[in-house]
Amino acid sequence: MRLRKTRFSNIVWFLYGITVLTFSALIFTETARFFFLDKGMGLLFTAAIFLISSGLVILRFYLQTKKPAKKENKANSKVLNILTFVFAFVCLIAGIFLRLRQIQNASFAPEISGSVSEEIYYSIFYSLSALFGGDFVTVIIFNTVLTVVFSVCLFFAMRKILGNFAALLSVCFAFVSPYFCTFGLSKGPELLSLVFDMLALLFISLLLPGRKAKAPIAILAGFFIGLAVFADFSAIAFLLFIPMLFVRDKVEEPGSKNKSFVNAALLIPGAILGIGFEAFVLAMLKGNPFLNEVLSFVSGIRPFANKVHIFASSDLAGLSIAALLLIPGIAAGYASRKKDQGTAVALILIGFCVLDSLGFSGINGGCEMAAILLFAGMAGNLFDMLSYKEPVPETEATLEVKDTLTEVDLDKEPESEAEEAKEAVGIKEETEVKTSSENKTKTEEKIEEDLREGQAPLENPLPVPKKKERGQVDYDYYVADNADYDI
């Protein structure tokens, strides 16, 4: 999905850069401790890698020759898509295998603390326990199913918004990261909260860029945002993507702004519907009045209700790799001229981090897990930004060459616009030479034929009057040539 970069995108990217540097500083200061270094070295390393990588990235963008963007080859695109799905499937199998190895170390402590996701999770788990038994195997299978569900939603959402690289890296974190393999096993409610979050992100990706009215998708996006908000209030950050619905291209369709307004307006009723639906389900599970659950949700929205969590120290290796990719991505996003660098995901990510820092997130830690997955997706976005080339506007000469190529050969698909122009000019010259050669050959053959018949060619080819011939008179009866006539 390509969105046009605006001033709003640059402002968001500046705030995103501050968020990434804060996240990276926390990671590197914590990592320095494991190498028996002072935490201040982590801050110095963050600043050094930011300056060095930013200089190299910006230098690359501004010194590269401006060449026409290559036309996407359908065969190469198919191969890349197939490899993306194959690699994601391999990560899925590896994640399942790693979780099965944790069966003996898994712990299950059903201590309900009042969280909505915990209430729903344990209610579903107790129902499964009645059928399959409440042992650790059931816990592992149930949590693995939840992981697969939210990871599939995450994969298609990231692939739609940011591309294949972002989808792969985020799915790698979801399946094979130690943070998700260990922490998510013993605390399944976080996984259920992630299912709501990623379903909301999936329908947001289907709604963007929002130039056309998509009422059912807008309502469903708002509905799953409401489910996520009721489970963890920090998910209200999903609504921050609404300004991206109004990012316009230079060529606008009539009434396109009204269509975007329809999509944005339907999100709020959808979110209210989702909150009401989850309050109704929770009221049925607890046996409490519906209004009490709604009031309990509203009264629970207060700052500093939990401890501040930005990252998990149990996965410093993976998070350090993500931080190393995120830092040069700041400069790459600024250097991209007209391409939006993932502002919708950046807005949601900034909202998650700010609300989590203010203590609005739930006590189950689902907000931190969602933020890590979004960080991983934005880290993968670096490869897409570095490989992207700006399309060159078509001139009248280019359009004329394309028309010539279309008339000559409609089946051929050249690899780039430059090759199209070169091939079209070559075909045109070859056609003219061939026609001239054929005409010359025909003229020489005609002259040789006339010489054989004894008719020499005229020296002056200008038109002359036709030679007169003696007229012949025919009679119905015989008349002698020397006949006399009486006058």
Side-chain angles (χ1 to χ4, degrees), residues 47 83 104 136 156 175 230 263 344 381 386:
L83 291 177
Q104 295 179 353
F136 292 149
F156 285 103
F175 281 126
F230 196 83
N263 292 331
N381 190 34
L386 292 178

Side-chain angles (χ1 to χ4, degrees), residues 135-446:
D135 53 3
F136 292 149
V137 177
T138 305
V139 176
I140 298 297
I141 294 175
F142 184 36
N143 290 353
T144 302
V145 170
L146 292 177
T147 303
V148 171
V149 171
F150 86 75
S151 299
V152 169
C153 297
L154 173 67
F155 175 80
F156 285 103
M158 283 294 183
R159 188 170 177 269
K160 175 72 165 53
I161 300 176
L162 296 178
N164 288 322
F165 295 108
L168 287 179
L169 197 56
S170 57
V171 167
C172 281
F173 266 80
F175 281 126
V176 300
S177 170
Y179 178 72
F180 287 91
C181 287
T182 58
F183 184 66
L185 285 176
S186 59
K187 295 186 177 181
E190 291 87 344
L191 302 178
L192 182 62
S193 179
L194 277 177
V195 170
F196 296 148
D197 291 336
M198 297 307 138
L199 281 171
L201 185 64
L202 176 61
F203 280 96
I204 286 173
S205 69
L206 297 176
L207 192 62
L208 289 172
R211 298 186 183 93
K212 297 180 180 179
K214 300 177 181 179
I217 296 177
I219 294 174
L220 286 173
F223 177 78
F224 285 109
I225 290 174
L227 293 181
V229 168
F230 196 83
D232 189 341
F233 184 73
S234 61
I236 198 71
F238 281 116
L239 293 177
L240 293 176
F241 88 98
I242 291 179
M244 301 308 299
L245 296 175
F246 297 92
V247 174
R248 317 310 314 165
D249 286 337
K250 292 183 179 180
V251 180
E252 296 183 358
E253 297 179 1
S256 57
K257 292 183 179 180
N258 294 332
K259 295 176 182 178
S260 299
F261 178 77
V262 169
N263 292 331
L266 291 176
L267 287 169
I268 306 302
I272 295 174
L273 180 63
I275 293 173
F277 176 79
E278 197 156 0
F280 174 77
V281 172
L282 197 61
M284 295 291 293
L285 293 174
K286 289 184 175 180
N288 296 334
F290 169 77
L291 187 59
N292 287 356
E293 294 299 330
V294 175
L295 294 176
S296 177
F297 163 72
V298 175
S299 62
I301 303 173
R302 56 182 184 273
F304 306 108
N306 66 338
K307 296 180 180 180
V308 177
H309 299 286
I310 297 295
F311 67 98
S313 59
S314 60
D315 193 16
L316 287 176
L319 295 178
S320 298
I321 294 173
L324 289 173
L325 294 175
L326 286 166
I327 291 177
I330 301 172
Y334 278 120
S336 299
R337 291 176 178 82
K338 293 183 180 180
K339 174 186 174 294
D340 178 82
Q341 46 303 59
T343 310
V345 178
L347 280 170
I348 297 171
L349 179 57
I350 293 170
F352 266 119
C353 293
V354 170
L355 291 173
D356 187 39
S357 300
L358 295 177
F360 281 101
S361 60
I363 59 177
N364 58 7
C367 172
E368 294 79 39
M369 299 177 78
I372 289 173
L373 293 175
L374 294 180
F375 270 124
M378 294 300 289
N381 190 34
L382 170 67
F383 299 100
D384 182 70
M385 287 189 292
L386 292 178
S387 61
Y388 177 76
K389 288 187 178 180
E390 190 74 25
V392 177
E394 293 181 341
T395 60
E396 293 182 0
T398 308
L399 293 175
E400 184 179 353
V401 169
K402 280 190 173 183
D403 294 338
T404 305
L405 179 64
T406 305
E407 293 176 1
V408 174
D409 191 355
L410 295 175
D411 297 330
K412 198 165 186 178
E413 295 181 3
E415 293 181 357
S416 65
E417 293 179 2
E419 292 181 0
E420 285 183 11
K422 184 177 179 181
E423 185 172 350
V425 171
I427 291 173
K428 191 174 181 180
E429 292 176 354
E430 183 180 355
T431 305
E432 292 176 355
V433 171
K434 186 176 180 181
T435 305
S436 176
S437 176
E438 289 178 354
N439 293 337
K440 185 177 180 181
T441 304
K442 289 180 179 179
T443 304
E444 293 176 354
E445 291 176 356
K446 184 68 169 59

